[in-house]
Amino acid sequence: MLLLTFEGIDGSGKSTQARRLNQHLQAEGHETLLVREPGGTELSERVRSVLLDSSLNVQPFAELLLFSAARAQLVAERIRPALDDGRIVICDRFFDSTTAYQGAGRGVAEPEWLRAFHRRVTDALVPDRTYLVEVDAETARDRRAQTRDEGDRMEAAGPEFYERVIAAYAELAEDEPDRFCRLDGRRSIEALHETVRADVTQLLNERRGTGFSGTGSSNL
Ligand code: ADP
Ligand code: TYD
């Protein structure tokens, strides 16, 4: 019924917000599905372990295809059915991650090409709202250090990589201001949650007002 995605660099705090929103919506009586990318299905979780394995040498284009394969499976197996079932789907990362990390970070493909590619991968599914949690690379690194022993294969990328990813996210948000909601990730967890919650409440009210029950699908 509604597809909400969270984006940001590793350690920005987006998973915390995705979980917090899910708890809130469930407490309000909504049927939800919370999934993370890459992951959420058996196949996608297996692809995830390949992608994050530091002992593997993964070529940039192969990386793009693997993230996308995990996504295609997740959309077909879980996201589409949940949306058709009237659920609110919360996705911790979606195709904007690929545009930012593989497109800009790795420099593997142009945004135009990626837009058409994502459309095929997701069967033209586009989030109704994308929350972009923005923090600088240093803050994110400090936050990662609090919770993780050692970085995975993706986190081995240097600071310039993260600068490119941050800039790409900002550009995506500028290009699609109606879909993106930009959040200053330096604010507290609760303050950020309040902002997200208010926005989702408004989205749900708009849906009720128009009686619209489908999800965005054709404005990639
Ligand atoms: P991500 O999913 O973006 O990698 P997480 O949600 O896992 O990030 O958060 C990484 C760490 O930062 C966790 O220890 C979390 O508790 C902490 N954190 C999350 N949001 C904030 C915030 N707004 N302020 C301070 N610390 C935060
Ligand atoms: P994860 O542990 O889920 O990181 P985080 O909690 O920060 O989301 O690992 C996912 C990693 O994969 C993260 O470094 C971002 C990266 N990624 C891509 O490079 N492209 C993608 O399309 C997706 C979904 C993730």
Side-chain angles (χ1 to χ4, degrees):
M1 175 253 240
L2 205 59
L3 174 60
L4 309 172
T5 62
F6 282 82
E7 295 285 354
I9 59 170
D10 314 57
S12 58
K14 71 191 152 31
S15 307
T16 304
Q17 291 304 320
R19 277 196 302 273
R20 194 76 185 71
L21 177 64
N22 189 49
Q23 282 163 359
H24 163 72
L25 290 172
Q26 286 189 345
E28 295 252 289
H30 293 284
E31 299 266 355
T32 66
L33 171 69
L34 171 65
V35 283
R36 68 167 179 186
E37 277 228 67
T41 74
E42 190 177 343
L43 183 142
S44 313
E45 289 290 338
R46 287 203 209 176
V47 173
R48 176 189 178 88
S49 58
V50 167
L51 277 163
L52 300 185
D53 185 341
S54 300
S55 72
L56 291 174
N57 171 346
V58 184
Q59 289 300 307
F61 199 72
E63 185 178 283
L64 166 72
L65 297 177
L66 285 167
F67 276 115
S68 303
R71 178 167 310 125
Q73 186 75 22
L74 178 64
V75 168
E77 199 177 315
R78 297 199 64 199
I79 298 181
R80 220 15 131 181
L83 290 170
D84 290 347
D85 215 28
R87 284 176 193 250
I88 300 174
V89 177
I90 301 170
C91 202
D92 184 348
R93 297 192 179 280
F94 204 48
F95 60 66
D96 298 303
S97 284
T98 305
T99 307
Y101 281 75
Q102 281 64 55
R106 303 282 196 224
V108 81
E110 295 300 318
E112 269 313 291
W113 187 91
L114 280 169
R115 250 194 293 278
F117 180 66
H118 294 329
R119 183 193 279 272
R120 291 300 305 272
V121 169
T122 65
D123 192 22
L125 188 64
V126 179
D128 296 285
R129 181 73 87 233
T130 298
Y131 298 99
L132 174 59
V133 184
E134 296 185 288
V135 294
D136 57 273
E138 212 165 285
T139 304
R141 198 196 52 214
D142 291 348
R143 286 186 186 171
R144 287 203 301 275
Q146 284 170 29
T147 46
R148 293 165 213 180
D149 300 338
E150 57 192 67
D152 56 43
R153 192 184 62 82
M154 292 303 298
E155 289 170 4
E160 309 80 32
F161 176 87
Y162 277 109
E163 292 305 336
R164 288 197 293 278
V165 173
I166 289 170
Y169 270 135
E171 210 167 299
L172 283 169
E174 273 160 32
D175 285 352
E176 288 183 74
D178 291 343
R179 173 162 72 89
F180 276 86
C181 173
R182 297 175 81 164
L183 302 165
D184 180 350
R186 292 167 305 178
R187 293 164 66 209
S188 74
I189 292 173
E190 264 323 291
L192 287 164
H193 173 61
E194 284 297 318
T195 303
V196 171
R197 201 157 100 175
D199 186 71
V200 173
T201 303
Q202 195 185 328
L203 271 180
L204 286 168
N205 286 338
E206 282 168 19
R207 280 298 153 90
R208 283 193 199 100
T210 58
F212 177 71
S213 63
T215 192
S217 60
S218 59
N219 57 344
L220 257 186

